[in-house]
Amino acid sequence: MEGLPTTTKTERRSRSKNLHTSKPSLVMAFFSCVAWLYVAGRLWQDAENRKLLANLLKRNIEQKPKVLTIEDKLIVLGCKDLERRIVEVEMDLTLAKSQGYLKHQLPQSESSSQRKLLAVIGVYTGFGSYLKRNTFRGSWMPRGDALKKLEERGVVIRFVIGRSANRGDSLDRHIDEENSKTKDFFILEGHEEAQEELPKKIKFFFSTAVQNWDAEFYIKVDDNIDVDLEGLIGLLEHRRRQDSAYIGCMKSGEVVSEEGKLWYEPDWWKFGDEKSYFRHASGSLLILTKNLAQYINTNSASLKTYAHDDISVGSWMMGVQAIYIDDNRLCCSSIKQDKVCSVA
């Protein structure tokens, strides 16, 4: 019995501990093997996908699909008619450049006669100027039948106003009600009537007026100006058949560059170191011939407005071959005896 090995209790405990410790290692090894097989399978699948895509690409390249010409694309998009119209417009623009401005026939309003009018006079007004309008109607501006007789002589006069920021509100309704009685408004449907929008109003006025009436002259008058109507008509009669005329009381002036001051010009830096406006007609009363009004209508989308409407018109006239006519009779604030307008 002495030759048989004996196993102590300590040895048996150590061997049992080693057996328990090896089980988690086996489990980890199994999962590692599964993960490796999964990754290998994905890599093989990606390789097969890349091979498939490469074959498809090669096949498409070999087929050499037809490249569409510009004409084919126009046919597909249905733009052949648009292409023709673009060519026609380009021809019209070329003709306009050679003659000065576009001179297409424009539709006339029902109130204007078939013969060409002498003038369309737009008198600025606002929503809160009811009493001032009535004062004008009782002084230099005809009303009712007298207004119709004046139109028969070739002169149309209208109060010019835009629409309220809240379309259809009480401000708009009151103007519509007043117009239904007096029929002496020219409502600019596309313009919002507001103090900060005044420079844009003159662009809307000339653009819309030249579309509604065929006249030789288009005139803008401020709402604080009294007009000697017969004197103005005589002045216009003398200028008949004179194209490209920009008529008014020509002036210049300092550009106000300090924000918060009266007449502040946000674009003051564009007027140079001297900070002086270019020559332009006073906004109290200014006159354009038809082709200049038509020019504004044609190019209204690209014409820049400045802080003041008279400056804006002056900047537009600088870019064309306008004939500047400085007429002292149109200096409404002067003390000249033969002037045709005065500050009310």
Side-chain angles (χ1 to χ4, degrees), residues 298-344:
T298 303
N299 300 280
S300 60
S302 58
L303 292 176
K304 175 177 173 52
T305 55
Y306 290 92
H308 315 295
D309 57 1
D310 52 357
I311 300 298
S312 299
V313 175
S315 70
W316 306 334
M317 296 302 102
M318 289 180 67
V320 296
Q321 295 177 347
I323 300 172
Y324 284 57
I325 299 174
D326 185 11
D327 196 322
N328 291 332
R329 291 173 294 176
L330 299 175
C331 296
C332 304
S333 59
S334 73
I335 58 175
K336 289 178 66 68
Q337 295 299 316
D338 61 344
K339 62 182 180 179
V340 299
C341 59
S342 60
V343 178

Side-chain angles (χ1 to χ4, degrees), residues 149-161:
K149 289 180 180 179
L150 183 65
E151 292 180 13
E152 292 173 2
R153 292 177 57 189
V155 178
V156 171
I157 305 179
R158 294 289 186 272
F159 287 114
V160 182
I161 193 169

